[in-house]
Amino acid sequence: MHMTVPSLEVSEAFKRWLGSRGFIYQLFTDFFGRKPTLSLIAQWGRNRQIGAAAEMSEGGRELKRYLCGQKPEDLLQVCEAEAAEYDRLMRDETVAGFKPREAALLGEAEEFCNVLSDVYASAGIVFKKCGDEADDHIAIELEFMAVQHERMLFNSFSAKSAMELLDIQEQFLREHLLLWIPEFCERLEAATNSPLYLGLSRMLKEFLPYDLHMLQSWRASLESAPAVIQHRPSVVVV
């Protein structure tokens, strides 16, 4: 897959991050947003990109070992167990003690979802939801980041719009994801013994602050070379 980024010298660290972050956000969206199916677990277990993503965190390496290490004859049993655990963790709040929603973790009123709805609308994003997910559901918030990442890499943009996309992502990490997801992960890890959800939780907890750091570093790189940023990107990351 080829991805275009603003025209400047790109370090190996930036290449690895840019090449993996959209994949990582999609992985989180898939597993936190719906019950694991046989095809979902098999799909991610076969995906070669999971190796590069896994190297970014210990949680990622745990998740890779679990998803890629399953024997074909065991997949159905694994899938059934993880699907049951998804229902217990994400839908039965009396068992897990929490909901996978920002308002619930921060003690906000239900009207808080209107804030997220406005954020999405101002970015020109409308989600086609599979069920009754609220706008502050963990999967919706993580999918928002996945969409913004795709826009940043695949659209032609000026220096101004590049910075606007960075602003949106940095602000969303600081004002939403990093405010409540670390606590969500702590509660999730206390509530489960599932290798899948423990790996996802640890990977997510490690990845979000790293992603913010890399966004800020990417911004600094763009700002230090304003003369070479044109209206169309010219560096290709493979």
Side-chain angles (χ1 to χ4, degrees), residues 6 8-9 33 39 44 46 93 99 104-107 115 123 126 152 158 160 163 169 190-192 202 231 233:
L8 76 165
E9 195 69 27
S39 61
W44 283 108
R46 291 193 305 264
E93 61 186 273
K99 288 184 178 181
L105 265 291
L106 297 180
V115 174
V126 177
M152 185 172 72
S158 65
K160 179 182 177 185
M163 291 301 180
Q169 293 175 85
T192 188
R202 290 165 183 163
H231 287 286

Side-chain angles (χ1 to χ4, degrees), residues 11-80:
S11 71
E12 285 302 315
F14 278 135
K15 285 182 181 179
R16 287 193 300 272
W17 168 69
L18 287 166
S20 297
R21 70 187 297 258
F23 163 88
I24 292 172
Y25 275 115
Q26 190 58 55
L27 181 147
F28 292 141
T29 299
D30 280 353
F31 280 110
F32 286 122
R34 54 190 169 124
K35 188 185 299 188
T37 61
L38 189 62
S39 61
L40 183 66
I41 290 177
Q43 169 197 333
W44 283 108
R46 291 193 305 264
N47 195 310
R48 288 181 295 177
Q49 278 190 285
I50 197 169
E55 293 309 310
M56 293 187 179
S57 68
E58 180 56 38
R61 288 186 283 275
E62 290 178 20
L63 189 62
K64 177 190 173 184
R65 286 193 292 270
Y66 182 65
L67 290 176
C68 299
Q70 298 300 329
K71 298 177 182 178
E73 61 268 26
D74 295 335
L75 276 177
L76 181 58
Q77 184 177 359
V78 167
C79 177
E80 290 174 349

Side-chain angles (χ1 to χ4, degrees), residues 76-143:
L76 181 58
Q77 184 177 359
V78 167
C79 177
E80 290 174 349
E82 298 297 0
E85 188 68 348
Y86 178 89
D87 282 338
R88 189 181 75 86
L89 291 168
M90 301 296 173
R91 294 175 177 169
D92 188 349
E93 61 186 273
T94 63
V95 175
F98 66 96
K99 288 184 178 181
R101 292 181 52 195
E102 183 175 357
L105 265 291
L106 297 180
E108 300 283 355
E110 283 300 306
E111 290 77 12
F112 176 77
C113 282
N114 295 333
V115 174
L116 272 301
S117 181
D118 289 344
V119 171
Y120 304 150
S122 66
I125 295 174
V126 177
F127 290 106
K128 184 178 180 181
K129 301 173 184 177
C130 297
D132 58 352
E133 303 98 329
D135 283 325
D136 67 338
H137 190 280
I138 186 170
I140 300 297
E141 293 197 11
L142 292 169
E143 187 174 3

Side-chain angles (χ1 to χ4, degrees), residues 144-169:
F144 176 74
M145 290 295 289
V147 172
Q148 293 299 94
H149 170 77
E150 294 296 304
R151 286 182 171 181
M152 185 172 72
L153 287 190
F154 292 102
N155 292 336
S156 298
F157 47 77
S158 65
K160 179 182 177 185
S161 60
M163 291 301 180
E164 287 173 350
L165 287 164
L166 282 168
D167 281 342
I168 291 169
Q169 293 175 85

